Amino acid sequence: MKKEITIYTISDSLGGTSQKLLSAVMAQYPDLIFNNSYRFPFINKESELLDILQDAIKDDAVVISTLVDSHLAAAAREFSRVNHLSYLDLMNPFFEIIKEKTDTQPIEVPGVLHRLDTEYFNKISAIEFAVKYDDGKNPQGFLESDLVILGVSRTSKTPLSIYLANKGYKVSNLPLIPEVPLPQVLDKVDKRRMIGLVCDPDKLAKVRSNRLDALGLTQATSYTDVEKIYEELDYSKKVFQKHQAYIINITDKSIEETACIIEEHLKSLSSNKY
Amino acid sequence: MKKEITIYTISDSLGGTSQKLLSAVMAQYPDLIFNNSYRFPFINKESELLDILQDAIKDDAVVISTLVDSHLAAAAREFSRVNHLSYLDLMNPFFEIIKEKTDTQPIEVPGVLHRLDTEYFNKISAIEFAVKYDDGKNPQGFLESDLVILGVSRTSKTPLSIYLANKGYKVSNLPLIPEVPLPQVLDKVDKRRMIGLVCDPDKLAKVRSNRLDALGLTQATSYTDVEKIYEELDYSKKVFQKHQAYIINITDKSIEETACIIEEHLKSLSSNKY
């Protein structure tokens, strides 16, 4: 029987940071069952906090906190110490280091990360941009894009565009299909902003065939034919060469990894004054 | 002059967890300049790690680590102790608590969070789904959706759909326009899955007017007229009532907060065996 562990997450805002850490930790224990349904966002009263901690004791839970209010955080720490509750504070150790280094105190305003400021609205419009200019829908958008992603069908252009949009980049993408002429506007796109995705042909055939399965379609079309895929990929590589796109092989890479490579590429461009 | 602090982030994978915590921490110090360009992903050699830590000493930096390899993590900890380097390990304190509670060890495989497994591919197809069924593009998608989001123009349907897709939900959305008949398929959608977004009319007028500015369009159309917006919102509320949609007022709420409310709503449905 698999062992279980119960996790409480407590935040005076949404608790996204705890969830992110928890995902990374959970991935390291494939044989452990994490009971992670006890999420307590928007906690701002001490009585409420102590009730939750009492329940955590009953459940023999581990408590992860991202409370930014120093009074609440101290109450939770003290309660956990006295009651031998496993308590992990993600914010305060960092706050203490910053105090030590710069003699500066946090403002202790919960939810300030989610403030509706310029950065937030830029991110929102980047996401709307990526949806609007997905799949070559309006090639004029290429000229306004921070990044134009090119690749044959099923090279993960859409999720990659959305992921980068979440980081604030204005991204458009264009599927490359040998039979379809390239939009002329592509010639005007700054080559430093162009990303070409390639993939191992056999892998791509498998991905496409899974895709057709998911759509409930019959197999053995040219879409999944490895010979045809070789041709498509050759064509795409010629396009990348012509436009001097930065080429990334996405085989066995996650979206996050590919996005990381793209960000490093952008960083190297700006530091080289290319 | 504003004070500065330099942060190094070190990971044997992408370092996304450090960046998430860092964003939350930085938001608490509006008057401090964070120099956060020193990101070191995919660190897996001790020599490489120690070189980075040497540089961190020169830069008087704070080091945040999410190394899962216990040998590397111990080397970094010991180096930091000896050299009085400010070092924050996000993973190991959690690992120790889990060891204590369950006597289980982490597998110490870097990047396992980004493994291309079923969960990963479900998330990717949820994002593709959200893009495909954005803006009422194909109302048949409503029947396959976990959530159908309804609202008048500029109630943040698209970014909300994408945010929820990132959490694995299949989401479609439909703009409500009084002059445009509703797609018939809406009558067949399970009301528990329908979300109606409303907003304060004055706020909405302002958001729309900013939108037109951004698009470089002239003002004073019915799109930004508060009277007309009242009518639109009234119409949308009637639609929500008729379809018994779960209504959320998004005024002054971030996408993350609205998504949190929707997830709580879904949780309450499943626990009530509605």
Side-chain angles (χ1 to χ4, degrees), chain A residues 235-249:
Chain A
Y235 164 73
S236 76
K237 283 171 196 166
K238 276 176 201 145
V239 173
F240 300 155
Q241 265 161 16
K242 186 189 159 206
H243 289 277
Q244 295 178 267
Y246 181 72
I247 299 174
I248 302 173
N249 187 327

Side-chain angles (χ1 to χ4, degrees), chain B residues 27-260:
Chain B
Q28 295 297 321
Y29 297 90
D31 291 327
L32 201 58
I33 298 169
F34 284 82
N35 181 1
N36 172 30
S37 49
Y38 299 97
R39 301 179 193 184
F40 302 94
F42 304 115
I43 299 304
N44 49 38
K45 286 195 202 74
E46 189 172 333
S47 57
E48 198 178 17
L49 173 64
L50 295 179
D51 283 350
I52 295 167
L53 295 177
Q54 286 286 5
D55 287 344
I57 292 177
K58 282 180 216 148
D59 286 336
D60 191 26
V62 177
V63 177
I64 311 175
S65 143
T66 47
L67 294 165
V68 297
D69 181 302
S70 58
H71 174 74
L72 287 181
R77 191 165 49 243
E78 180 58 14
F79 179 96
S80 305
R81 191 185 62 76
V82 172
N83 296 281
H84 307 287
L85 178 66
S86 300
Y87 176 76
L88 202 60
D89 183 334
L90 299 186
M91 304 300 277
N92 273 279
F94 210 148
F95 289 172
E96 275 165 31
I97 290 178
I98 292 176
K99 171 90 170 65
E100 196 190 321
K101 284 262 178 206
T102 68
D103 198 29
T104 312
Q105 294 285 7
I107 51 173
E108 297 187 19
V109 178
V112 67
L113 183 59
H114 305 289
R115 201 150 50 178
L116 306 180
D117 56 9
T118 313
E119 197 180 327
Y120 173 82
F121 286 111
N122 284 344
K123 200 181 91 173
I124 295 297
S125 48
I127 292 169
E128 290 175 334
F129 187 95
V131 173
K132 186 171 175 189
Y133 296 110
D134 180 56
D135 205 34
K137 259 178 291 189
N138 180 354
Q140 288 305 321
F142 295 171
L143 299 177
E144 294 170 58
S145 302
D146 297 323
L147 290 162
V148 180
I149 297 175
L150 312 174
V152 304
S153 176
R154 293 282 105 194
T155 46
S156 67
K157 298 179 296 297
T158 297
L160 180 61
S161 300
I162 295 292
Y163 184 83
L164 287 160
N166 265 310
K167 296 186 156 233
Y169 297 100
K170 287 162 81 180
V171 188
S172 52
N173 70 70
L174 178 72
L176 296 182
I177 307 163
E179 297 79 13
V180 178
L182 293 169
Q184 285 192 349
V185 68
L186 204 61
D187 295 331
K188 293 190 206 153
V189 176
D190 181 346
K191 62 179 186 286
R192 292 171 294 175
R193 305 196 172 282
M194 250 193 269
I195 308 290
L197 304 181
V198 293
C199 184
D200 174 70
D202 296 301
K203 193 85 185 189
L204 194 56
K206 210 174 146 200
V207 170
R208 286 188 177 183
S209 141
N210 290 342
R211 173 67 172 175
L212 290 189
D213 277 350
L215 294 173
L217 298 172
T218 49
Q219 297 281 332
T221 67
S222 67
Y223 184 68
T224 54
D225 178 54
V226 176
E227 283 298 313
K228 182 64 180 30
I229 287 177
Y230 265 101
E231 280 173 35
E232 280 186 53
L233 286 167
D234 276 351
Y235 164 74
S236 76
K237 284 173 196 165
K238 276 176 200 144
V239 172
F240 301 155
Q241 265 162 17
K242 187 188 159 206
H243 288 278
Q244 295 177 266
Y246 181 72
I247 298 174
I248 302 174
N249 187 327
I250 60 145
T251 313
D252 296 327
K253 283 196 188 76
S254 68
I255 297 300
E256 291 85 348
E257 283 163 327
T258 309
C260 182

